[in-house]
Amino acid sequence: MVLDLFVNFCILFTFAMLLFWVARQQKRTKFPLLRKFPGYSIGLISGVFGVVLMLKSIHVGSAIIIDGRMVVLALSGLFGGPVAPIIAGTIMGMARILVNEITWPAIIAGTNTIIIGLIIGLVARRIPITFQNAWKYFAYTTIQTVLVIGSLSFANEFVAGRGAVFILYSVISFAIVYVTLLKMDQLSREVEQIEQHSSTDYLTGIPNNRKFEERFYNWRQERERFHLAVLDIDYFKRVNDTYGHPTGDLVLVELADRLKRTTTSFGGEVARIGGEEFGVLLSATTTHHALEQAELLRKSVDSIRFQLPEGLELRVTVSIGVACYPDDAEAMPDLYKKADERLYDAKLGGRNSVRISS
C-alpha cells in the first residue's frame, strides 16, 4: 500500500507543478482556449488529472478508494477561479461513479465530489481562493468527506479505520503540495519584481529601453505594419541648468505620464529610451494616421503647464521623428536610426514639430 500511495502522490505532485506553471503562463500562452477561457481549461485539466488519480488509486474494502482528488479540487479553484472546481468536481464525480463497478458507495462518493466542487465554486465567487485561504477550502472538503465516510462506515460498508487512511493521506498530501506551491509562489513573485525593475525606468515608472526593444519585436511578430516615433524634449538642458535637476525630474515624470495616457488612447506603447528621449510604438499603419498620432503626442505635451515655486509656470515642447516598419527598415536599430534622422530634421526645422519618413 505504501508504494501505491507514493505513486499516487507523485502523480498529484506532478499535477500541482503543472497547474502552477499553466496558471503562470496564461497571459503568454499561444493556446487560444487557455488564454481566453483559463477557468474552463484549468477545470478540464484538473478533472482529467483527478480521473488519472482515481485510476491509480488504492482500493480499501468495497466502499472507498484512496487518492488525492480532494486536493485537486482545492487547487483547481486556486488557479482557475470559481468555475474550475465546478468542472473538475463534475468530471471526477461522474468518473468516481462509473470508473469501477456502480455501487451505492460509489454513487455516494461521486455525488459528494460533485457537491464539493459546486459549493467551492459558488463560495469562491464571493471569496476568491488564494494562497492565504486555500487551506480553508481544503478543510471544508475534508470535513464533508469525513461525514460521508462516517455514513458509509455506519452502513458497515468498510472499516472506519481504513477510511481514516484516506483522510490522513489527503491531509498530508495537501500539506506538502501547499507548502511547496506557497514557496514557489513567493519565489515567482520575487522573480517578477526583479524582471519588472530590470525593464522599468527607475524615475518615470514606464518601460525602459530594454523593455521597449522586447515590445518592438513582439509587435513585429504580431503586425504587418506600424510606425516608430522618437521624441526628444526641446532645450531640456536649459531646464536643468535654470531650475535644477529636481525640476527636470519632475518634468520627466509628468511628461512620461502624459505620453503614457495619450499612447494608450490609440493603442500605442511608450518607453523612456534615455535622458530626455522617449520612444513610442504607433499603431497607425498609414503615413497619414501616423502623423496624426505623433501630432497628438506633441500637442499633449505642449498643453502641459508645470507649476513651479513662487508662482512660476514652465512649458516644454518636444520634437518628434517617425519611421515606418517595414518600409523604412525591419531591424530595430535601423528603424530607430531612420526615426532619429527625422527627429534631427524636426530640430533643424525649429523644434516643437513632427517629421515623418514619406
Side-chain angles (χ1 to χ4, degrees):
M1 176 184 287
V2 175
L3 180 60
D4 292 334
L5 287 175
F6 179 74
V7 171
N8 195 269
F9 173 76
C10 288
I11 297 174
L12 173 62
F13 192 83
T14 301
F15 157 77
M17 299 304 105
L18 175 64
L19 204 60
F20 181 86
W21 179 82
V22 169
R24 285 290 181 267
Q25 297 296 319
Q26 283 180 21
K27 297 180 180 179
R28 303 177 185 178
T29 182
K30 295 182 179 180
F31 296 102
L33 183 62
L34 182 58
R35 187 171 60 250
K36 295 181 180 179
F37 307 103
Y40 292 93
S41 302
I42 290 178
L44 180 61
I45 294 172
S46 301
V48 171
F49 261 92
V51 173
V52 173
L53 287 172
M54 281 186 281
L55 293 175
K56 293 294 182 179
S57 61
I58 297 87
H59 290 256
V60 180
S62 61
I64 190 171
I65 59 175
I66 299 177
D67 57 66
R69 64 183 180 276
M70 294 305 168
V71 180
V72 172
L73 271 180
L75 294 181
S76 67
L78 173 63
F79 293 116
V83 70
I86 296 176
I87 295 175
T90 301
I91 294 174
M92 289 187 287
M94 294 303 298
R96 178 64 181 91
I97 296 172
L98 302 174
V99 72
N100 294 307
E101 182 181 355
I102 300 178
T103 61
W104 278 113
I107 294 174
I108 293 173
T111 303
N112 177 60
T113 302
I114 295 173
I115 292 174
I116 288 177
L118 180 62
I119 292 177
I120 288 178
L122 293 176
V123 175
R125 289 173 62 90
R126 297 182 62 87
I127 308 175
I129 304 178
T130 65
F131 277 101
Q132 285 68 40
N133 65 12
W135 67 271
K136 296 180 181 179
Y137 283 88
F138 176 74
Y140 154 70
T141 69
T142 303
I143 293 172
Q144 180 163 319
T145 304
V146 167
L147 295 176
V148 172
I149 289 176
S151 67
L152 292 175
S153 177
F154 183 76
N156 295 320
E157 289 292 335
F158 77 100
V159 180
R162 295 293 183 90
V165 176
F166 175 85
I167 303 301
L168 184 62
Y169 169 72
S170 296
V171 171
I172 294 176
S173 298
F174 178 80
I176 296 174
V177 170
Y178 177 72
V179 171
T180 303
L181 290 177
L182 190 61
K183 186 62 177 179
M184 289 178 62
D185 181 66
Q186 292 173 348
L187 293 175
S188 177
R189 292 181 185 277
E190 291 176 3
V191 171
E192 288 178 356
Q193 289 180 353
I194 294 174
E195 290 180 347
Q196 183 176 3
H197 289 319
S198 67
S199 61
T200 302
D201 179 60
Y202 73 96
L203 177 64
T204 62
I206 64 174
N208 59 16
N209 188 45
R210 174 178 174 271
K211 185 65 175 180
F212 189 64
E213 290 184 6
E214 178 184 320
R215 294 304 303 150
F216 171 82
Y217 289 114
N218 289 341
W219 274 47
R220 197 172 67 171
Q221 292 178 350
E222 298 168 356
R223 305 166 188 248
E224 295 182 358
R225 186 183 176 90
F226 59 90
H227 286 75
L228 169 67
V230 179
L231 296 78
D232 187 83
I233 302 176
D234 298 326
Y235 302 114
F236 186 68
K237 186 176 184 301
R238 292 184 184 177
V239 175
N240 283 327
D241 292 344
T242 304
Y243 302 102
H245 287 280
T247 298
D249 290 345
L250 174 65
V251 169
L252 289 171
V253 171
E254 291 198 26
L255 187 142
D257 181 67
R258 179 64 62 89
L259 290 176
K260 181 179 180 180
R261 284 187 280 126
T262 305
T263 53
T264 301
S265 68
F266 56 72
E269 296 191 43
V270 63
R272 184 185 178 196
I273 297 177
E276 66 270 26
E277 192 169 89
F278 296 82
V280 178
L281 295 175
L282 304 175
S283 57
T285 57
T286 66
T287 301
H288 175 70
H289 287 149
L291 183 59
E292 286 184 342
Q293 291 180 353
E295 278 291 341
L296 189 62
L297 292 170
R298 185 191 65 79
K299 292 177 181 178
S300 69
V301 173
D302 193 31
S303 65
I304 302 176
R305 297 296 180 268
F306 300 93
Q307 301 300 322
L308 304 181
E310 300 179 359
L312 297 177
E313 188 176 79
L314 175 64
R315 170 176 171 257
V316 298
T317 61
V318 293
S319 298
I320 305 176
V322 183
C324 177
Y325 170 87
D327 295 3
D328 292 316
E330 295 187 9
M332 174 68 171
D334 297 332
L335 191 63
Y336 174 83
K337 182 179 179 182
K338 289 289 185 180
D340 195 51
E341 290 174 355
R342 301 290 79 77
L343 171 63
Y344 183 72
D345 293 340
K347 294 284 189 182
L348 291 179
R351 293 179 169 80
N352 192 23
S353 60
V354 178
R355 295 293 185 273
I356 186 169
S357 298
S358 56

